[in-house]
Amino acid sequence: MNAPADGEAGLSSRRLLVLLGPLIVLGAFTGALALVAAIAGWNREEMLLVAAGAGGVVVFPALFVIYRQVTERRASQHALANAKARVGGIVESAMDAIITVDEEQRVVQFNAAAEHAFRRPRGAVIGHRLDLLIPKRFHEAHRAHIERFGKTAVTSRGMGAQMVLYGLRSDGEEFPIEASISQHTEDERKLFTVILRDVTERVRAEELLARSEARLRGILDSAMDAIITVDERQHILLFNAAAEAVFGCPREQAIGAPLADFIPQRFRGAH
């Protein structure tokens, strides 16, 4: 709500200057002529009074315009400070780590969640290169990625589409992350903000699931008997090695096929 009010106030000040400008110029011109006339000795007392009156006409509107501009500038600065405080509060309370770097990839912002994720106090990170938070083998690729992104007109996008991303904690431990990056210009310098999340638990769960599936697959494939699993539509979901041998059909061809394909025609209805 502050931005429109500030804009309207600034517009009023400009209109006021437009309205009072001619009066100020006229008063200054009149006062100057009267002063010149007084110095030249033409009705000296009367000209001094005219000059003083014209000066008043100039001074008071000018002071009023200056007062309005100073007041509006202070209001704008106050609104900007409030906006920065709100943004800072949001960033600091965010659940995800938020890191902002400049064009030299030096850290200028490091929120509380980032401190927790990387186990580093912000005082030990601010001003240092982003490389501090990335395993060494990824330094060049990551630096090149940000530089390429900075040359595009895209404001934000996900990171890690082509590779797994890792962060580096203060104790040397690496951890998997998912991240997005955005860019904006502030005070004529480009800044990049990375929002990232530690996905260690998710990756660990996925690895456990994959290992469990691999173990189950090993057990099924070592079974002497054919094992087939179907869904409610009787389409095959699982087809082990013994089933491949019994039916003479490769697993890739069997998966997704209807079970009826493996039953003689005369038994299909009853089955």
Side-chain angles (χ1 to χ4, degrees):
M1 296 298 291
N2 288 333
D6 292 342
E8 291 172 4
L11 185 61
S12 298
S13 178
R14 289 192 293 271
R15 286 178 176 173
L16 184 63
L17 186 59
V18 170
L19 292 174
L20 296 180
L23 180 61
I24 294 172
V25 172
L26 179 60
F29 182 70
T30 302
L33 285 179
L35 187 58
V36 169
I39 293 173
W42 301 338
N43 299 318
R44 188 170 184 276
E45 294 182 358
E46 290 81 355
M47 290 298 100
L48 287 175
L49 289 175
V50 171
V57 171
V58 172
V59 169
F60 290 112
L63 289 176
F64 183 67
V65 170
I66 292 172
Y67 170 77
R68 285 292 299 272
Q69 290 178 337
V70 170
T71 301
E72 290 164 9
R73 186 176 297 110
R74 286 178 178 172
S76 298
Q77 291 173 345
H78 182 68
L80 179 60
N82 286 342
K84 288 183 176 180
R86 285 195 298 271
V87 172
I90 293 171
V91 168
E92 196 60 23
S93 63
M95 299 294 290
D96 292 332
I98 300 177
I99 304 170
T100 300
V101 300
D102 59 19
E103 289 183 284
E104 295 180 352
Q105 297 192 30
R106 294 190 180 278
V107 179
V108 298
Q109 179 175 265
F110 197 75
N111 74 339
E115 289 183 304
H116 177 74
F118 290 91
R119 299 173 188 167
R120 298 177 185 270
R122 72 190 64 187
V125 178
I126 298 294
H128 292 274
R129 291 185 63 86
L130 188 61
D131 291 347
L132 180 68
L133 308 175
I134 303 171
K136 189 173 182 179
R137 65 185 182 278
F138 297 125
H139 285 183
E140 292 300 326
H142 191 272
R143 192 178 301 120
H145 173 79
I146 293 182
E147 289 175 355
R148 286 195 303 271
F149 176 65
K151 294 176 182 178
T152 70
V154 179
T155 56
S156 65
R157 72 180 179 197
M159 299 176 67
Q162 305 300 324
M163 62 179 180
V164 177
L165 298 178
Y166 286 91
L168 183 66
R169 304 193 204 275
S170 60
D171 58 3
E173 177 189 353
E174 296 184 11
F175 64 103
I177 61 176
E178 62 180 17
S180 63
I181 184 172
S182 64
Q183 60 178 316
H184 71 282
T185 301
E186 182 178 312
D187 296 330
E188 299 184 352
R189 65 172 180 165
K190 184 170 288 188
L191 299 176
F192 302 90
T193 297
V194 177
I195 301 177
L196 61 90
R197 178 173 300 170
D198 182 347
V199 293
T200 300
E201 293 304 320
R202 191 186 74 192
V203 170
R204 184 177 292 125
E206 291 172 350
E207 290 175 349
L208 288 173
L209 178 60
R211 286 200 293 268
S212 296
E213 291 178 344
R215 284 197 298 269
L216 177 60
R217 173 65 61 189
I219 293 170
L220 293 174
D221 282 345
S222 64
M224 299 295 292
D225 296 327
I227 301 176
I228 302 172
T229 300
V230 299
D231 61 17
E232 58 185 7
R233 297 181 301 136
Q234 296 195 27
H235 283 203
I236 296 174
L237 299 176
L238 185 146
F239 201 78
N240 75 340
E244 288 183 302
V246 169
F247 291 96
C249 178
R251 178 179 309 167
E252 293 75 16
Q253 183 178 333
I255 298 297
L259 183 61
D261 290 354
F262 298 88
I263 301 173
Q265 180 71 39
R266 65 183 182 279
F267 297 124
R268 290 178 182 175
H271 188 276

